[in-house]
Amino acid sequence: MKYNAILIFLLIITFQVARAAEEENEINPFIKLDKNKLFQPVLDLEFWYVYSMNEKQSGEEVYDRSDAMFRRVRIGAKGNPTPWLNYIFRFSADRVGEDVYTAVKGSYNGISVWNGYFTIKPLSDKNLLNIHMGYFWTGVSREFTNSPWNVASLDKTRSNYYLRHFVSGKGNGIESGIALGGIKNFNKCAISYRTGVYEPSAYSCSNYGNKLFTGRAVLTIGDGEQSKYSYMVPANNWRKTKSISIGLGGSSQQNGKLCDSVLFKTSYTYGADLLVCYKGIRIEGECFAMKREDQAKQKIDAITWYARASYNFIIANKYIEAVVCYDSYDASGSKSVYKFIGDDNSLDMGLNWYLSKDKLKLALHYIIQDGTTSPNLGNYIGTALQFRL
């Protein structure tokens, strides 16, 4: 019902803006509608062909196999009808056609609303204050707000999956809420921030309705990471920047429901992330602690982190990117407080060929996986074709 209400709300607003666009702008000079930016379709496709090897599912050996799937499908619309307002809403259908016996972790969950939110810019300096409202990321870290279409790895890290799931109760880390964000660029220095309050449906119950609070602040020294503010952080500098970015982030929620018999008392995360860019070299990573305690004083303590290094070089006027990424998750405590107790780690080595930067990309990667928290383990070779309208 929440998804339906959000979608209806977005459609009503879009219709009203479109209706106003048919009227003369002189009726309300504040609107200043730009009809060319009122509605733009969104279509993002990522096709994978993988070969799984040495796989086990729940301890049972699985034959090596190949598989083809649409790893990601996003369809929707976006617009920037006035200088002070933009919007986006998208549906998702991830892992369409996936063989459940491949070593790729995760599974197809049908078609659903991916996100849908407005951004209002009330100040003349549009980068300093942005108000986000709707259904979007509860982001606390760099990888949390890295677009999967831009990351150098074949996929976003598993370690950050656990962080997103822990914070929001959902693997994508998306929930309804309100957030403020902005960036201020100085001479060879920049400061950006984001803070939000959300309503995690996964943790709500009749006894408690406490909100989730999140925040992140970043100091950049050198070339600015963003020339103008955007909710999602860029993930490829195309050999142009020399900079260091240091981020601090975290989340907190008091009292919530985990299941019919377990209520948690405190749940919070905190950590830091780092980005170093020097022309074609890009080194990034993050480390976060995850802690929770229920009313019976059962606890979970977890550490999740990743490190990724990539290098961009140019061949025949096209960008080629070599990358290696390692990520790790380790948690101890009670499974009644958080179901992912154990460890999970993976190593990704690969090449990306950007035919049109992040609009059209080919990728070839080899992934090695190990751990105890996922029922399926194994290595796989993954090829990907990524297209964005």
Side-chain angles (χ1 to χ4, degrees):
M1 292 298 293
K2 176 186 286 188
Y3 295 155
N4 292 337
I6 293 171
L7 179 59
I8 292 171
F9 178 61
L10 289 170
L11 291 175
I12 290 173
I13 294 296
T14 304
F15 173 76
Q16 292 296 337
V17 173
R19 183 180 175 183
E22 298 300 321
E23 302 176 359
E24 293 295 331
N25 287 342
E26 287 76 8
I27 295 176
N28 187 350
F30 177 67
I31 296 179
K32 296 181 180 178
L33 290 174
D34 187 338
K35 296 180 182 180
N36 295 324
K37 297 181 180 179
L38 179 62
F39 181 90
Q40 179 181 344
V42 173
L43 177 62
D44 301 330
L45 301 173
E46 187 173 349
F47 180 80
W48 280 18
Y49 191 83
V50 301
Y51 186 78
S52 300
M53 300 164 287
N54 305 319
E55 185 188 357
K56 290 185 178 181
Q57 287 203 1
S58 301
E60 297 292 328
E61 292 187 1
V62 177
Y63 285 113
D64 295 353
R65 68 191 60 221
S66 60
D67 184 36
M69 75 183 86
F70 274 105
R71 173 62 182 87
R72 289 182 176 88
V73 177
R74 304 281 189 273
I75 186 169
K78 63 182 179 180
N80 185 197
T82 75
W84 51 269
L85 173 69
N86 60 52
Y87 72 89
I88 185 169
F89 65 89
R90 294 181 293 179
F91 295 95
S92 69
D94 292 357
R95 304 176 185 276
V96 176
E98 180 184 46
D99 184 337
V100 297
Y101 293 103
T102 63
V104 179
K105 295 179 179 178
S107 59
Y108 173 64
N109 292 315
I111 300 173
S112 63
V113 173
W114 181 252
N115 66 350
Y117 64 98
F118 300 96
T119 299
I120 299 173
K121 306 172 183 181
L123 303 180
S124 57
D125 184 347
K126 303 180 185 67
N127 291 316
L128 192 59
L129 177 61
N130 297 264
I131 304 171
H132 307 288
M133 296 182 292
Y135 187 64
F136 55 99
W137 298 268
T138 58
V140 299
S141 75
R142 174 169 297 279
E143 184 79 348
F144 210 125
T145 50
N146 258 349
S147 168
W149 309 97
N150 295 337
V151 295
S153 306
L154 182 66
D155 207 351
K156 296 192 69 169
T157 60
R158 280 288 292 181
S159 61
N160 196 258
Y161 164 84
Y162 294 107
L163 181 62
R164 299 193 303 267
H165 187 276
F166 186 88
V167 170
S168 68
K170 300 176 181 178
N172 59 16
I174 296 175
E175 192 47 273
S176 58
I178 299 175
L180 305 178
I183 185 171
K184 183 64 176 178
N185 287 301
F186 303 94
N187 184 24
K188 295 299 180 180
C189 178
I191 298 174
S192 62
Y193 74 93
R194 185 179 298 114
T195 182
V197 55
Y198 302 86
E199 312 280 349
S201 57
Y203 300 139
S204 64
C205 62
S206 59
N207 296 336
Y208 300 105
N210 286 42
K211 302 184 186 316
L212 167 68
F213 297 93
T214 69
R216 180 172 180 258
V218 182
L219 170 65
T220 299
I221 300 172
D223 300 324
E225 186 177 357
Q226 294 179 319
S227 59
K228 60 181 181 179
Y229 174 80
S230 173
Y231 191 90
M232 304 300 284
V233 299
N236 197 318
N237 60 332
W238 311 114
R239 298 179 59 89
K240 292 181 179 180
T241 60
K242 301 176 185 178
S243 63
I244 297 176
S245 295
I246 302 171
L248 298 175
S251 67
S252 176
Q253 185 176 8
Q254 306 298 310
N255 301 314
K257 179 180 178 181
L258 296 171
C259 63
D260 292 337
S261 59
V262 179
L263 300 175
F264 67 78
K265 184 179 179 181
T266 60
S267 182
Y268 58 96
T269 66
Y270 59 88
D273 56 71
L274 175 70
L275 171 66
V276 178
C277 294
Y278 184 79
K279 294 186 178 179
I281 300 172
R282 182 183 177 93
I283 300 172
E284 62 181 289
E286 68 184 30
C287 182
F288 271 74
M290 302 157 47
K291 297 180 181 292
R292 179 178 290 159
E293 181 178 345
D294 69 8
Q295 294 185 334
K297 296 190 180 301
Q298 297 185 99
K299 300 179 180 181
I300 174 187
D301 288 287
I303 295 292
T304 179
W305 65 273
Y306 83 92
R308 181 187 293 127
S310 60
Y311 180 70
N312 277 270
F313 51 97
I314 300 175
I315 297 178
N317 296 321
K318 303 297 182 183
Y319 288 96
I320 306 294
E321 183 178 42
V323 59
V324 58
C325 179
Y326 184 82
D327 67 278
S328 175
Y329 168 79
D330 186 47
S332 61
S334 172
K335 282 194 173 184
S336 65
V337 181
Y338 191 55
K339 63 180 181 179
F340 296 115
I341 300 298
D343 67 296
D344 193 352
N345 55 76
S346 60
L347 175 65
D348 181 330
M349 299 170 288
L351 289 172
N352 302 315
W353 183 17
Y354 296 93
L355 300 174
S356 180
K357 291 192 174 178
D358 62 347
K359 298 298 183 183
L360 183 61
K361 182 176 78 171
L362 290 171
L364 174 63
H365 290 247
Y366 181 61
I367 290 86
I368 302 171
Q369 303 177 125
D370 195 9
T372 60
T373 59
S374 178
N376 62 321
L377 296 174
N379 308 332
Y380 64 94
I381 298 172
T383 59
L385 170 63
Q386 177 180 301
F387 168 78
R388 306 184 72 190
L389 185 63

